[in-house]
Amino acid sequence: MADPRGFLKVRQRETQPRRPVPVRIMDWKEVYEAQEKGVLNAQAGRCMDCGVPFCHQGCPLGNLIPEWNDLVWRDKGEEAMERLHATNNFPEFTGRLCPAPCEASCVLGINQPAVTIKQVEVSIVDQAFDNGWVTPLPPARLTGKTVAVVGSGPAGLAVAQQLTRVGHTVAVYERDDKIGGLLRYGIPDFKMEKDHVDRRLDQMKAEGTRFRTGVAVGTDVTWEQLRRRYDAVVIATGATVPRDLPIPGRELEGVHFAMDYLVPANRVVAGETVENQINAAGKHVVILGGGDTGADCLGTAHRHQAASVTTLAIGKQPAAERAPHQPWPTFPTLFEVASAHEEGGERTYLASTVEFVGENGKLTGVKVAETEFVDGKRLPKAGTERIIPADLVFLSLGFTGAEPAGITEQVHADFDGRGNVARDGYYMTNTEGVFVAGDAGRGQSLIVWAIAEGRACAAAVDKFLMGSTTLPAPVAPTDRAISVL
């Protein structure tokens, strides 16, 4: 364990400092600054000698959190990195992007602020990269088996790295020009700069994973061709179909899906030239949806120097503390102030969007009304309508599932009632040898779930190819249970 009396001596939770708002909105660099080493070690020392460390229950990856907290407190950074990588292929991603359900399950969190688990995690891996401790782990021998992974988000990359390390020849197919999926083009640099993706890809290339960019599977190459060419195929394309809002005025110029705004913005930050980029400079922006993607749009609009930004959410404002129906150690729905919310903008709850209004085919405003609950339904309250001026609206309402084109016709894979590719208890679709992992199979979810599913799917693929597997399988596709492969 860490310091036996650490949680008594250091009762205050100290997270990474954020750069001042007036400074950080002038660039695209990450908002967080590195934490002083002594403070970090003291925070890791708050980890208790729990009889049952419930942070394991909160983490889909089953991260060995108390162990690497202890190693950080003892200043054994390289050993902490090894313990961290034992369960998580990409802690530099989860340490920046995961909402940390492990912290919601921290035993210390019953009556004190939880241990800063996420902060310790990212500090471990950043120190490891800075010191050259992260090295390629190529297989000792090749099996002669080949696997195609379609999609290069966190699930696809986790599948690929695990299978490469046990000796299979793995090729990752990506329709974009660079590897990373939404890690590359969906997440703004102020949340995660892309050199973190690039340095992990360098490791994977050195291990033997092959990458094929600019290839749209289903058109440039068919799924049948992949099935004939490879011994197994993994669908890891994500849940990329955005949820629409078909109300009057939806066709007006200025109403966009969130990703139509974020992806070009990320490309420009990467130095690319994007024609007809949606730019919020000097414009009144309304964001529909209060989740992470909405916050990404908010932070991007701030950096574009929008005239105003308003975020509308149809539901009630979440509570600041746990509700009785979400007791410890469950992951509660709480009111969150992300870095983008600190930077400005108005957040409005119980706001039902009624209509997009405009002139000459262009958006000029959003008609909203107060939300009322009738028979369990959220409906606009008559007589409360008002119009919010808007030049741009970004629909950040989540995603409805995987893109079926090609998968349905060429793989003949079934989809479930929620728009996800159906699979059995071993991540296989109804077509033998074709597997699915991540959001494509479970629906829109957390990055930590994508990596956990990628690792478990890799174990299922390895067993399918070899008859048995030594790869760990942290989660089953239906629940949090450990897969028995």
Side-chain angles (χ1 to χ4, degrees):
M1 64 172 293
D3 185 351
R5 299 180 60 82
F7 68 98
L8 296 174
K9 294 188 295 185
V10 183
R11 301 181 69 87
Q12 183 176 355
R13 171 186 166 98
E14 292 188 44
T15 57
Q16 286 174 285
R18 294 171 177 170
R19 294 192 293 139
V21 169
V23 175
R24 72 187 192 224
I25 63 172
M26 301 303 294
D27 61 41
W28 296 88
K29 297 184 181 298
E30 290 183 12
V31 303
Y32 286 100
E33 299 176 335
Q35 190 168 53
E36 194 273 321
K37 184 177 179 180
V39 175
L40 178 72
N41 290 8
Q43 289 296 308
R46 296 179 69 234
C47 187
M48 304 168 66
D49 185 15
C50 304
V52 178
F54 274 81
C55 53
H56 288 182
Q57 176 269 341
C59 179
L61 283 164
N63 281 339
L64 306 174
I65 296 164
E67 296 183 29
W68 41 257
N69 272 330
D70 172 62
L71 291 167
V72 168
W73 179 67
R74 296 176 187 277
D75 204 19
K76 296 183 177 181
E78 191 166 5
E79 291 183 39
M81 176 210 68
E82 293 173 354
R83 209 67 108 248
L84 182 55
H85 275 131
T87 56
N88 187 351
N89 296 68
F90 314 120
E92 67 274 25
F93 303 159
T94 53
R96 287 174 167 83
L97 306 175
C98 180
C102 54
E103 293 186 7
S105 300
C106 175
V107 174
L108 184 59
I110 295 175
N111 61 0
Q112 283 190 39
V115 175
T116 57
I117 298 170
K118 178 178 172 180
Q119 171 185 307
V120 175
E121 175 183 10
V122 75
S123 299
I124 292 170
V125 69
D126 284 351
Q127 181 189 25
F129 272 108
D130 291 343
N131 286 280
W133 299 336
V134 180
T135 57
L137 300 174
R141 63 179 181 83
L142 295 178
T143 64
K145 301 294 185 179
T146 58
V147 182
V149 178
V150 183
S152 66
L157 293 179
V159 171
Q161 186 168 62
Q162 291 293 92
L163 291 176
T164 296
R165 287 177 172 178
V166 293
H168 304 309
T169 300
V170 182
V172 178
Y173 287 82
E174 171 57 57
R175 63 184 176 185
D176 283 329
D177 57 331
K178 293 181 180 179
I179 294 295
L182 291 184
L183 292 170
R184 172 80 61 182
Y185 290 127
I187 303 296
D189 279 44
F190 58 79
K191 288 179 67 173
M192 187 180 74
E193 295 177 34
K194 301 308 175 277
D195 61 336
H196 300 297
V197 179
D198 293 333
R199 65 188 184 184
R200 184 61 73 173
L201 293 177
D202 289 342
Q203 182 202 36
M204 293 181 66
K205 291 173 185 176
E207 290 172 347
T209 302
R210 304 172 183 183
F211 295 100
R212 306 283 187 263
T213 57
V215 180
V217 176
T219 53
D220 297 336
V221 60
T222 66
W223 289 93
E224 289 98 332
Q225 288 173 320
L226 289 187
R227 290 181 60 205
R228 289 196 298 267
R229 189 180 305 173
Y230 295 90
D231 296 307
V233 175
V234 179
I235 302 170
T237 53
T240 56
V241 179
R243 180 173 285 106
D244 207 345
L245 185 63
I247 60 175
R250 173 63 180 86
E251 75 287 350
L252 290 170
E253 180 182 340
V255 182
H256 306 276
F257 289 118
M259 285 302 161
D260 293 338
Y261 176 54
L262 293 175
V263 172
N266 283 335
R267 288 184 176 276
V268 170
V269 172
E272 301 179 28
T273 300
V274 177
E275 295 183 3
N276 302 317
Q277 180 197 1
I278 303 168
N279 196 307
K283 297 181 179 179
H284 298 287
V285 176
V286 173
I287 300 167
L288 303 186
D292 287 342
T293 304
D296 293 345
C297 290
L298 176 63
T300 301
H302 289 322
R303 284 155 182 77
H304 282 167
Q305 299 184 9
S308 69
V309 189
T310 303
T311 301
L312 303 179
I314 192 172
K316 298 178 181 178
Q317 178 175 321
E321 298 181 353
R322 285 182 182 273
H325 67 283
Q326 294 178 328
W328 177 90
T330 60
F331 187 40
T333 301
L334 299 175
F335 181 70
E336 181 184 5
V337 180
S339 63
H341 300 132
E342 286 183 340
E343 296 164 359
E346 180 181 343
R347 303 173 76 177
T348 302
Y349 290 88
L350 290 176
S352 295
T353 305
V354 177
E355 180 183 358
F356 301 120
V357 297
E359 297 177 359
N360 301 319
K362 293 187 176 181
L363 179 76
T364 60
V366 179
K367 181 183 286 187
V368 300
E370 293 179 13
T371 303
E372 64 177 350
F373 295 83
V374 180
D375 297 328
K377 296 181 180 180
R378 298 179 296 191
L379 300 173
K381 184 178 180 180
T384 63
E385 297 86 356
R386 63 187 177 98
I387 294 178
I388 301 174
D391 304 301
L392 289 172
V393 166
F394 299 129
L395 303 180
S396 178
L397 305 172
F399 300 87
T400 60
E403 297 177 27
I407 296 176
T408 302
E409 302 90 346
Q410 298 175 16
V411 182
H412 307 295
D414 293 335
F415 278 69
D416 63 23
R418 300 190 302 126
N420 307 318
V421 183
R423 67 258 181 105
D424 63 16
Y426 299 97
Y427 293 88
M428 191 186 294
T429 69
N430 56 289
T431 300
E432 186 176 10
V434 179
F435 298 78
V436 60
D439 289 4
R442 72 176 293 113
Q444 179 187 357
S445 189
L446 306 179
I447 183 173
V448 68
W449 273 107
I451 298 172
E453 285 217 357
R455 289 171 63 88
C457 180
V461 173
D462 188 37
K463 183 181 180 183
F464 170 77
L465 295 175
M466 306 300 292
S468 62
T469 184
T470 58
L471 288 173
V475 292
T478 53
D479 54 33
R480 291 178 178 266
I482 301 297
S483 292
V484 181
L485 297 173

